[in-house]
């Protein structure tokens, strides 16, 4: 079993930055795909970014590419998301998730691929 706890959310003005962190307990391996998802009111949950450490691969939604950076510290069992140049449309509840298996460019953004989920942390960006 794996438990995930997100932190770092808050309210910022457009153009600002936030760094989200996900603390994992249990067994986390580099062979697992880990990701950040977000969900805005009235919208479907969407993949923001994912990382597959053993494969040296990262994935980003087109809307956040160049602004967000996902990273993983295997020694500390943490997953981070550095968010810069935030926009109002980035507002939503952000969740970290872990898949049992690896991910690819064609599967990373599918929420059904992920087994464990955190409770979420709210991010609000005002204009």
């Amino acid at each position: 079993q794996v438990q995930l706890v997100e932190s770092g959310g808050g309210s910022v003005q457009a153009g600002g930055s936030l760094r989200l962190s996900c603390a994992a307990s249990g067994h986390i391996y580099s062979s697992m795909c880990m990701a950040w998802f977000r969900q805005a009111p009235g919208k479907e949950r969407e993949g923001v970014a994912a990382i597959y450490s053993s494969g040296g691969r990262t994935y980003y939604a087109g809307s956040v590419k160049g602004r967000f950076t996902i990273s993983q510290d295997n020694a500390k069992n943490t997953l981070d998301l550095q968010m810069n140049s935030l926009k109002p449309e980035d507002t939503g509840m952000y969740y970290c998730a872990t898949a049992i298996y690896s991910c690819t460019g064609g599967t990373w953004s599918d929420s059904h691929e992920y087994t464990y989920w955190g409770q979420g942390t709210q991010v609000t960006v005002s204009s």
Side-chain angles (χ1 to χ4, degrees):
Q1 290 292 114
V2 175
Q3 292 188 335
L4 306 171
V5 180
E6 303 94 336
S7 63
S11 298
V12 299
Q13 293 183 326
S17 299
L18 283 174
R19 186 176 181 87
L20 306 183
S21 183
C22 174
S25 61
H27 298 290
I28 303 296
Y29 305 95
S30 61
S31 59
M32 291 180 170
C33 181
M34 300 189 71
W36 286 95
F37 283 75
R38 68 186 180 190
Q39 187 168 24
K43 295 185 178 181
E44 294 289 325
R45 184 171 297 185
E46 65 173 345
V48 177
I51 184 168
Y52 176 50
S53 295
S54 65
R57 299 193 293 269
T58 56
Y59 306 95
Y60 296 94
S63 60
V64 307
K65 187 174 296 184
R67 299 188 297 121
F68 291 10
T69 302
I70 188 171
S71 61
Q72 182 178 348
D73 187 332
N74 292 321
K76 297 181 178 180
N77 278 349
T78 58
L79 176 72
D80 297 322
L81 183 68
Q82 178 64 47
M83 306 186 293
N84 298 325
S85 301
L86 285 163
K87 304 175 180 179
E89 50 263 45
D90 293 318
T91 294
M93 185 70 74
Y94 283 67
Y95 303 88
C96 63
T98 300
I100 297 177
Y101 307 108
S102 63
C103 53
T104 67
T107 64
W108 76 268
S109 60
D110 185 352
S111 62
H112 294 96
E113 294 291 325
Y114 297 85
T115 304
Y116 304 103
W117 295 82
Q119 294 296 313
T121 184
Q122 179 67 37
V123 171
T124 302
V125 184
S126 60
S127 60

